[in-house]
Amino acid sequence: MNVRMVQVKLNRNWFQLKWISVAISLLFLLGGCAYPKEMRKENQINPAEFITVVQQAVDQFHEKTSVLPIKNSEMTTPLFEKYVIDFNKLKKTNLLSSVPANAFESGGIFMYVLVDVETKPQVKLMDLSAYQSVEDVQKKVDEYKVKHAGQLPDGIAINDVFEYVDFDKLGMKLPEVKSDFNRQNFITYMLNKNSGKVAIDYGMDIMKVIQSGSLEASLKPDQDLRELLIAKSYFVPIRSYTYFWQNNQPIPQNKD
């Protein structure tokens, strides 16, 4: 393989690995702040209608080709964000006439992804406005660390590894992005004390699912409780950590 072919391959791989970041940037640049896009009509439509159509197309594609219509991703991509649906593959095979209006590819705020790809692939949504909000907070946290000799804008501790972000220390308001799993609540943000990485705290959302379903007795010690959110909604938890049931509550763990 000559140098030019190697370079082309590397460029192609780089593009594949960075496309989600580019999508977020385009969403921000073309629509201003991503958060107000939640109010656009196509983003408020019940996603069940779109998901049903896409699910049928995915199932038919899988049945005909024995592969899934997904884009390439890097090995380190978090599991729930990893398998992004490639609408071009569905359209080229005439299994989908148009891209859903709420999808990023149509100017919406959602990426369509698959979960349970090894067993029964299910179509879910990844909220780009929530994703963008984490990016915004992370940027502020990184700037704070530079100005304060590596210290974090730490707030109330959750456990030995995680703490809530203190937005007063950052000099910014809490981003008003509603949780996809409980539209009455805004997203809360936490910090990994070891890495300084910002993540979304899904503890309250998980707890609500557990309590409403009286699931406490059925939970396993090593069960990732984020799966409960996926099973009960159209969305996937993003920019997050694994949660285990400990001391009668969902506790974040130091792993994606």
Coordinates of all heavy atoms in Angstrom, one line a residue, residues 3 47 49 67 113 134 149 158-159 169 204 215:
V3 N 2.0 5.5 0.1 CA 1.7 6.5 1.1 C 0.4 7.2 0.8 O -0.3 7.5 1.8 CB 2.9 7.5 1.0 CG1 2.6 8.7 2.0 CG2 4.2 6.8 1.4
P47 N -42.3 11.1 19.3 CA -41.3 10.4 18.4 C -41.7 9.0 18.0 O -41.1 8.4 17.2 CB -40.1 10.3 19.3 CG -40.6 10.5 20.7 CD -41.8 11.4 20.6
E49 N -44.2 7.9 16.3 CA -44.5 7.8 14.9 C -43.3 7.6 14.0 O -43.3 6.8 13.1 CB -45.3 9.1 14.5 CG -45.6 9.2 13.0 CD -46.3 10.5 12.6 OE1 -46.7 11.2 13.5 OE2 -46.4 10.7 11.4
V67 N -27.0 -7.5 7.9 CA -26.2 -6.5 8.6 C -27.1 -5.4 9.0 O -28.2 -5.3 8.5 CB -25.0 -6.0 7.7 CG1 -24.0 -7.1 7.4 CG2 -25.5 -5.3 6.4
V113 N -30.3 6.0 16.9 CA -29.3 5.0 17.2 C -30.0 3.7 17.4 O -31.2 3.6 17.6 CB -28.5 5.4 18.4 CG1 -27.7 6.7 18.2 CG2 -29.4 5.5 19.7
V134 N -23.6 19.4 27.6 CA -22.5 18.8 28.4 C -21.2 19.4 27.8 O -20.3 19.7 28.6 CB -22.5 17.3 28.3 CG1 -21.2 16.7 28.9 CG2 -23.7 16.7 28.9
A149 N -5.4 26.5 39.0 CA -4.4 25.5 39.3 C -4.8 24.1 39.3 O -4.5 23.3 40.2 CB -3.7 25.9 40.6
I158 N -21.4 13.3 45.6 CA -22.3 12.2 45.4 C -21.8 10.9 46.0 O -22.5 10.2 46.7 CB -22.6 12.0 43.9 CG1 -23.2 13.2 43.2 CG2 -23.5 10.8 43.7 CD1 -23.3 13.2 41.7
N159 N -20.5 10.7 45.7 CA -19.8 9.6 46.4 C -18.3 10.0 46.3 O -17.9 11.1 46.1 CB -20.1 8.2 45.7 CG -19.8 8.2 44.2 OD1 -19.1 9.1 43.7 ND2 -20.4 7.3 43.5
K169 N -19.5 28.8 40.9 CA -18.1 28.9 40.8 C -17.7 29.1 39.3 O -16.7 29.8 39.0 CB -17.4 27.7 41.3 CG -17.4 27.5 42.8 CD -16.7 26.2 43.3 CE -16.8 26.1 44.8 NZ -16.1 24.9 45.3
M204 N -31.9 10.6 39.4 CA -33.3 10.8 39.7 C -34.2 10.2 38.7 O -35.3 9.6 39.1 CB -33.5 12.4 39.8 CG -32.9 13.1 40.9 SD -33.3 14.9 40.9 CE -35.1 14.8 41.1
L215 N -39.5 -2.0 41.5 CA -38.4 -2.9 41.0 C -37.3 -3.2 41.9 O -36.4 -4.0 41.6 CB -37.8 -2.3 39.7 CG -38.8 -1.9 38.5 CD1 -38.0 -1.3 37.4 CD2 -39.5 -3.2 38.1

